[in-house]
Amino acid sequence: MAKIAIINRDKKRREIVKKFASKREALNKAANDINSSLEERYNARIELQKLPRDSSPVRLRNRCALTGRPRGVYSKFGLGRSKLRDIAMSGKIPGITKASW
């Protein structure tokens, strides 16, 4: 189980990313627009740098929904590999069976 503080930090980052998503998208579009002047593009880059660091979606980390484990997370289920195995073996996920050949 991951520390509660780290799980909460990740949740806080997800909220900040969602809050600034539209503003960040507009500034990125303005900064990468070839038709606008160099000064406008430069100002858009400066405004992007003024946004909080945690508003960047690159800083997000996929974590297990149950344990908060950062590695071995299956994005389709949102679970870590060990918890996915436990739940699948108990038959709680329809369509998932142990492989046998």
Side-chain angles (χ1 to χ4, degrees):
M1 180 94 185
K3 290 184 178 179
I4 301 296
I6 295 177
I7 295 171
N8 289 339
R9 183 188 311 156
D10 190 57
K11 288 179 183 175
K12 181 181 172 185
R13 280 185 181 154
R14 289 186 187 280
E15 292 172 4
I16 292 173
V17 166
K18 191 181 291 186
K19 179 180 176 183
F20 287 97
S22 60
K23 186 173 185 178
R24 180 173 283 279
E25 183 181 353
L27 287 172
N28 270 327
K29 192 177 285 187
N32 295 327
D33 185 18
I34 299 172
N35 298 328
S36 61
S37 68
L38 286 175
E39 186 175 334
E40 291 172 352
R41 294 172 69 184
Y42 177 76
N43 290 336
R45 285 280 172 209
I46 296 296
E47 289 299 315
L48 262 174
Q49 290 176 1
K50 288 181 183 177
L51 292 177
R53 283 188 179 182
D54 284 342
S55 69
S56 174
V58 173
R59 292 174 68 98
L60 295 178
R61 177 83 177 172
N62 288 336
R63 292 187 171 271
C64 175
L66 299 178
T67 61
R69 188 178 201 280
R71 296 176 181 221
V73 177
Y74 288 83
S75 58
K76 183 175 182 178
F77 303 102
L79 298 172
R81 58 181 172 77
S82 58
K83 287 298 172 183
L84 178 65
R85 184 177 187 274
D86 292 342
I87 293 173
M89 291 309 219
S90 63
K92 295 180 181 173
I93 302 177
I96 301 291
T97 57
K98 185 177 178 185
S100 60
W101 56 90

